[in-house]
């Protein structure tokens, strides 16, 4: 009889442990949820940024192979985000304060909302349906990912403030304050050709790689010793 009761208690404990381990994560601690740690949030935004960069890299490569098999004909475009000052390498990024690096990440993400949406619309209307039906869906996917990632980084910044590792100077940055308005005019007129598509994909691949790397550096300077 004693053995049976012990077995029942063990099973009950295992069931409770399983429930806790699989409890959904939520931001505000509702019933049945547990609040994610800062490390959890960092891991999520880094995973999201890595996936976003992977998709953008694949799309850029496939676009070049389809439209510009001879890469010698392609010049290096001037990206609309050239006005956002970014660290040139890992060492310079590590020397930046957390506030500055967080703002750089938010500025880069915010600067891509309108251009990626314009890219999707232009690709979806293009006559090269064999490729652009696929590519426009991918452009829409990365456009959605940029918005989701920016929200995630903003929540991460708020968590950093609450943890005392980030100052209150980091706040919301409006898209209009990110780059000169003249840089947006090109993307807003709605007449993009294949070369314009290529330039946007090239620039986003470059910037998404920066975002991914900066997030990893920010995690390592904020939470040293965690996969750094």
């Amino acid at each position: 009889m004693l053995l049976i009761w012990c077995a029942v208690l063990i099973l009950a404990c295992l069931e409770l442990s399983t429930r806790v381990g699989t409890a959904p994560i939520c931001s505000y601690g509702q019933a049945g949820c547990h609040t994610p740690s800062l490390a959890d949030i960092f891991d999520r935004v880094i995973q999201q940024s890595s996936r976003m960069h992977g998709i953008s890299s694949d799309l850029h490569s496939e676009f070049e192979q389809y439209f510009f098999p001879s890469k010698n004909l392609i010049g290096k475009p001037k990206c609309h985000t050239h006005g956002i000052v970014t660290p040139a390498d890992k060492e310079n990024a590590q020397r930046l304060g957390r506030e500055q690096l967080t703002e750089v990440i938010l500025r880069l993400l915010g600067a891509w909302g309108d251009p990626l949406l314009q890219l999707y619309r232009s690709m979806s209307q293009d006559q090269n349906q064999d490729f652009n039906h696929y590519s426009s869906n991918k452009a829409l996917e990365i456009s959605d990912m940029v918005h989701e990632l920016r929200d995630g980084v903003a929540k991460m910044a708020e968590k950093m403030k609450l943890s005392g590792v980030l100052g209150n100077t980091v706040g919301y940055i409006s898209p209009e304050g990110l780059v000169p308005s003249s840089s947006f005019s090109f993307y807003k007129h709605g007449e993009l050709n294949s070369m314009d598509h290529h330039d946007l994909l090239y620039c986003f691949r470059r910037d998404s790689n920066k975002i991914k790397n900066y997030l990893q550096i920010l995690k390592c300077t904020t939470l040293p010793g965690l996969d750094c």
Side-chain angles (χ1 to χ4, degrees), residues 23-71:
I25 297 175
C26 52
S27 301
Y28 304 106
Q30 296 96 328
C33 299
H34 68 275
T35 303
S37 67
L38 183 55
D40 291 334
I41 298 174
F42 263 116
D43 288 341
R44 291 180 193 180
V45 294
I46 289 171
Q47 289 170 8
Q48 178 84 335
S49 66
S50 296
R51 181 168 176 266
M52 182 177 73
H53 176 61
I55 294 173
S56 69
S57 296
D58 291 344
L59 183 54
H60 172 260
S61 298
E62 292 162 4
F63 189 92
E64 277 196 343
Q65 291 172 10
Y66 189 89
F67 287 100
F68 305 104
S70 177
K71 295 183 180 180

Side-chain angles (χ1 to χ4, degrees), residues 2 4 24 67 111 129 142 159 169 190 218 227:
L2 180 60
I4 294 174
F67 287 100
Q129 291 299 322
I142 58 178
K159 187 77 171 180
T169 57
L218 185 60
D227 300 327

Side-chain angles (χ1 to χ4, degrees), residues 89-136:
D89 51 37
K90 181 178 180 180
E91 288 71 24
N92 283 313
Q94 288 173 329
R95 281 195 287 267
L96 275 185
R98 297 188 192 105
E99 288 80 5
Q100 293 93 326
L101 194 54
T102 303
E103 285 199 352
V104 167
I105 295 168
L106 287 170
R107 285 180 183 276
L108 286 173
L109 287 168
W112 275 103
D114 285 350
L116 284 174
L117 191 57
Q118 184 63 45
L119 176 65
Y120 158 69
R121 289 170 179 165
S122 179
M123 281 184 162
S124 63
Q125 296 168 3
D126 198 286
Q127 297 302 312
N128 296 293
Q129 291 299 322
D130 289 345
F131 181 83
N132 277 325
H133 176 70
Y134 160 82
S135 61
S136 65

Side-chain angles (χ1 to χ4, degrees), residues 194-209:
S194 294
M195 185 59 76
D196 299 327
H197 295 169
H198 168 269
D199 290 352
L200 282 169
L201 290 172
Y202 171 91
C203 292
F204 184 70
R205 181 192 63 171
R206 184 202 69 172
D207 285 351
S208 64
N209 186 51

